[in-house]
Each structure stands twice: as structure tokens, then as C-alpha cells.
Amino acid sequence: MYPRIIINTDHIIHNSKMMVQKAKENHIDSIMAVVKVFAGHYDLINSLVETGIHQIGDSRIENLKLLTHIQLPKCLLRLPMISEVDDVVQYADISLNSEIKTIKALNQAAKKSNINHQIILMFDLGDLREGLYYSKPYIHIVENILDLSHIELLGIGANLTCYGGLVPNKKILNRLIHIKDVIESKFNLHLKIVSGGNSSTVTLFDQSEIPKAINHLRLGESILFGKETSYGTNIEGLHQDNFIFEAEIIECQTKPSLPDGDTSINSFGEKVQIEDKGAMKRAILAIGKQDVMLNYLKPIDTSISIIGGSSDHLILDVTGRDYDIGQIVQFRVDYPGLLLLMNSNYVKKIFK
Ligand SMILES: *Cc1c(COP(=O)(O)O)cnc(C)c1O
């Protein structure tokens, strides 16, 4: 059945083990595997448990609900909505937070269910997504957190290279270390986790650029695609091609390359620029923008190219090539493409 995505589980397990080992060599003894791209697929996520990782992280509570049997602490990565705190304390052992009002709501929910909830307090080191801005006051907030009966301040963390594209380096990570030192001495406590970012921090491995006090990373893309994400370079010893997407040709005919008559906008409200390449052999595949943005797909046969599509169709230029209906065309996908395909109910997921 097509369309389908084929996932190489063994390669991903290998990558996870390798990242745990490489992190250790860089004094980072704890890795959270970030699995948001797997939409809660239990077997695959469960297969990562034995690779030496310490927690599982996902940004949606709906996904964590599917993982209740996994024998590792689970972390909600996206800041909780106040409206979901009951679920958060039920299905996540840890959550990332930056708002005292939300943390108090989590405390109330945890108290009601008589459980302890752990939080990692997030600091924005300049990338401008979530977190308390590093140069602004935070002591009062920490004081408030420490007063709560059912919340444990497990540690602090930062997220980089997500919104602003801020690339990590020693200077930026030291902003987090400074905060750790201030909190620990002011309140005479030990922060168990200092979480120094995601796969973009992997760029700094083996360069003595990661402060020793960073002891934790949250890794998704590096485990799945074998790349660091500051510059997109391959990580030595890891597998890169772990996902192949396949779709079936439902029409294959030679037509002109220019629409015949006056043109306006396409079904997505866009004015498209179409180049006249003369007669063109065109293949239509049964996959569309409802399932994935088409520019996230890269044909493995580099002699063919995607020329466009609509919600349920993808059109390929296969001029001069031996394609016909019923045949399957294979693509590589990048991280955003995988995220969409895994979340499409119409795309079958094959684990091998
Ligand atoms: C998605 C996410 C990660 C993982 O990022 P990668 O670049 O895939 O390693 C880490 N932390 C948070 C808060 C995230 O949302």
C-alpha cells in the first residue's frame, strides 16, 4: 500500500547509541531522545530505551499519552498550556517551563493527584524562542518555585538555533552556567540537570567549547538524521539515510509544459511561474500537500524533478525517463518533511 515511509530502525538505534557515547566523551552524561517526529509510535520509541538514553522528550502531550508503558522518564518539551496541566502531571514526569503562573498551575494539579512533578526552568540565551531572558532578573521566580510543595526544580536548560538561528558557542553557553552558579549558591542547592540545547550544540563536540557544567542535551535530528544542525554537517560514524518515502504514479503522459490559455492562481491561491520547456513527460503521484510540503521531498533519481502539485497530487517531470503508471517513485525526506509525513494518516509507516 502506498504512499508509505520506510524507517530503518536499526540505523536509528545505532545513531542513538553513538550519540550517547559521543556525548560522554564530551562530559555530557545524560541524553534525552527527542521523538516528536515519531507521533507516538510506541515500538520504535521503545527500541531507543536500551540505547543508553536517560529520558524521552516530545512536544505534544497527546504523544506522551501513547508512551505510558515506556520505562524511562518522559518530558514535555513544549511549554505546557495552563488548560492541559492535569494531563501534563499525569503523562509527563518532567516538563520544560518559563512561566511561574503555569508552574503554579502544575503544582496545583500535581497536589490534586498527589504526585511530584519535575521541571526544567528554561532560559533564553538570545535565540528568542522560549525561556526567561538570561540577562533579566530570575531569582524571585526561582524562590517562588522552591516554595511549591509538589514541584521539584530538576534543573535549568536552554534552546538554541530554533527561532533566531543563534549558533551555540562557549560564550553563549556560559550565560547558562552563570545562571546555574548564581542559583546554586544563592539557594544552596544542586541543580541535577543543566541542559545545553539540542542537536545544534553537537557542532561543538570535540572542540573544548562546551562548558563542563553542561551535563545534558535533548537530541532529535542528530539521532534521526546523523547530522548536527548548526550547519547541517554529517556526524562521523552515524547513518544519514534512515527514511525513504515512496509514492505511486497514477498518470504518466506527455503534455505541453505551459497551461493552454489565460492563467490566474492555483488551488492554493498562489500565482505560479511556469517555464516553457516544450513537450514534457509528466508523472502524477498519489501524494499531495495535505500530507507533506512538496519541496521537502527529494527524488532519489536525480534525473527527475518535482514541478508542482496540489492537495492530493504531486507532478514530476520525467521527460526521457522510463516511468509508467503503477510504478513507485522514491524520495529522501528532511526533518520537516518527515514530521509531516509521520503525522499524515494516509501515509503508511513501515519499520524495518
Ligand atoms: C525539538 C526540540 C529539541 C530537539 O531538537 P533537535 O534539533 O531535533 O535535536 C530539543 N529541545 C526542544 C525544546 C525541542 O522543542
Side-chain angles (χ1 to χ4, degrees):
M1 289 281 282
Y2 297 92
R4 64 181 198 177
I5 181 129
I6 304 169
I7 299 150
N8 193 321
T9 311
D10 290 343
H11 281 186
I12 295 167
I13 290 172
H14 168 84
N15 282 3
S16 185
K17 286 181 183 160
M18 289 294 287
M19 288 315 294
V20 167
Q21 185 191 323
K22 282 174 188 279
K24 273 210 185 92
E25 290 161 9
N26 286 271
H27 311 283
I28 295 166
D29 56 21
S30 174
I31 292 296
M32 180 186 295
V34 173
V35 298
K36 54 195 175 200
V37 83
F38 291 137
H41 276 271
Y42 181 85
D43 288 343
L44 177 58
I45 296 168
N46 197 37
S47 68
L48 294 178
V49 168
E50 302 278 292
T51 61
I53 58 164
H54 287 76
Q55 307 95 12
I56 294 281
D58 200 302
S59 44
R60 310 278 172 133
I61 202 71
E62 290 83 351
N63 289 345
L64 290 181
K65 274 188 194 179
L66 302 171
L67 304 178
T68 43
H69 295 298
I70 290 210
Q71 295 301 316
L72 277 180
K74 286 163 287 272
C75 176
L76 181 66
L77 291 167
R78 188 172 65 185
L79 307 178
M81 298 181 253
I82 288 185
S83 61
E84 67 179 354
V85 291
D86 287 329
D87 275 356
V88 175
V89 299
Q90 204 65 50
Y91 299 105
D93 306 283
I94 313 166
S95 59
L96 308 186
N97 283 275
S98 68
E99 291 283 352
I100 189 65
K101 223 170 138 179
T102 309
I103 298 168
K104 284 181 175 168
L106 287 167
N107 183 56
Q108 283 304 320
K111 197 170 174 179
K112 225 172 32 191
S113 308
N114 199 23
I115 35 187
N116 279 319
H117 185 70
Q118 300 178 311
I119 64 163
I120 296 175
L121 188 60
M122 294 301 280
F123 285 89
D124 181 347
L125 305 183
D127 191 53
L128 301 179
R129 204 178 75 179
E130 76 272 46
L132 299 162
Y133 202 71
Y134 73 96
S135 59
K136 296 178 74 170
Y138 51 84
I139 291 295
H140 186 60
I141 293 166
V142 175
E143 206 163 16
N144 270 280
I145 293 171
L146 296 175
D147 275 346
L148 299 172
S149 56
H150 290 70
I151 296 290
E152 180 195 345
L153 180 60
L154 183 62
I156 58 173
N159 201 50
L160 295 158
T161 338
C162 264
Y163 167 74
L166 189 72
V167 175
N169 59 30
K170 195 176 218 162
K171 177 170 163 249
I172 287 170
L173 291 174
N174 271 331
R175 293 172 180 163
L176 190 65
I177 305 310
H178 175 71
I179 293 167
K180 164 192 151 70
D181 292 342
V182 170
I183 295 177
E184 289 189 339
S185 66
K186 169 98 187 149
F187 297 101
N188 191 25
L189 53 76
H190 171 65
L191 293 170
K192 288 197 194 104
I193 285 185
V194 182
S195 189
N198 52 43
S199 298
S200 72
T201 302
V202 173
T203 313
L204 305 179
F205 276 10
D206 307 328
Q207 292 177 28
S208 322
E209 276 281 311
I210 303 181
K212 285 253 164 61
I214 302 267
N215 62 8
H216 182 266
L217 291 177
R218 309 173 309 273
L219 301 181
E221 194 160 346
S222 51
I223 292 175
L224 304 176
F225 287 86
K227 290 172 195 279
E228 54 78 32
T229 55
S230 286
Y231 306 102
T233 26
N234 292 349
I235 304 169
E236 208 185 300
L238 271 69
H239 298 289
Q240 277 78 39
D241 277 343
N242 305 327
F243 307 94
I244 299 289
F245 175 66
E246 297 184 330
E248 180 172 339
I249 303 179
I250 52 174
E251 183 187 287
C252 195
Q253 297 181 12
T254 299
K255 299 182 185 180
S257 45
L258 269 191
D260 189 2
D262 294 336
T263 61
S264 168
I265 50 176
N266 67 14
S267 57
F268 276 69
E270 306 148 345
K271 179 95 191 132
V272 276
Q273 293 294 329
I274 300 174
E275 193 189 334
D276 190 358
K277 291 183 173 170
M280 182 187 278
K281 184 173 172 188
R282 303 159 73 92
I284 300 181
L285 304 187
I287 182 76
K289 294 181 191 174
Q290 181 176 336
D291 310 289
V292 64
M293 293 315 290
L294 305 181
N295 56 324
Y296 294 152
L297 300 176
K298 306 278 174 262
I300 289 181
D301 176 355
T302 52
S303 71
I304 63 177
S305 55
I306 296 173
I307 57 174
S310 54
S311 49
D312 300 294
H313 301 84
L314 180 156
I315 310 171
L316 285 172
D317 176 359
V318 296
T319 305
R321 306 289 300 171
D322 204 17
Y323 285 95
D324 204 352
I325 64 158
Q327 283 184 358
I328 305 306
V329 181
Q330 293 190 317
F331 299 86
R332 290 202 173 83
V333 294
D334 53 17
Y335 189 87
L338 181 66
L339 187 59
L340 294 172
L341 289 167
M342 289 300 291
N343 279 289
S344 169
N345 285 333
Y346 305 95
V347 175
K348 285 84 192 160
K349 285 87 186 172
I350 312 288
F351 300 95
K352 61 160 212 188

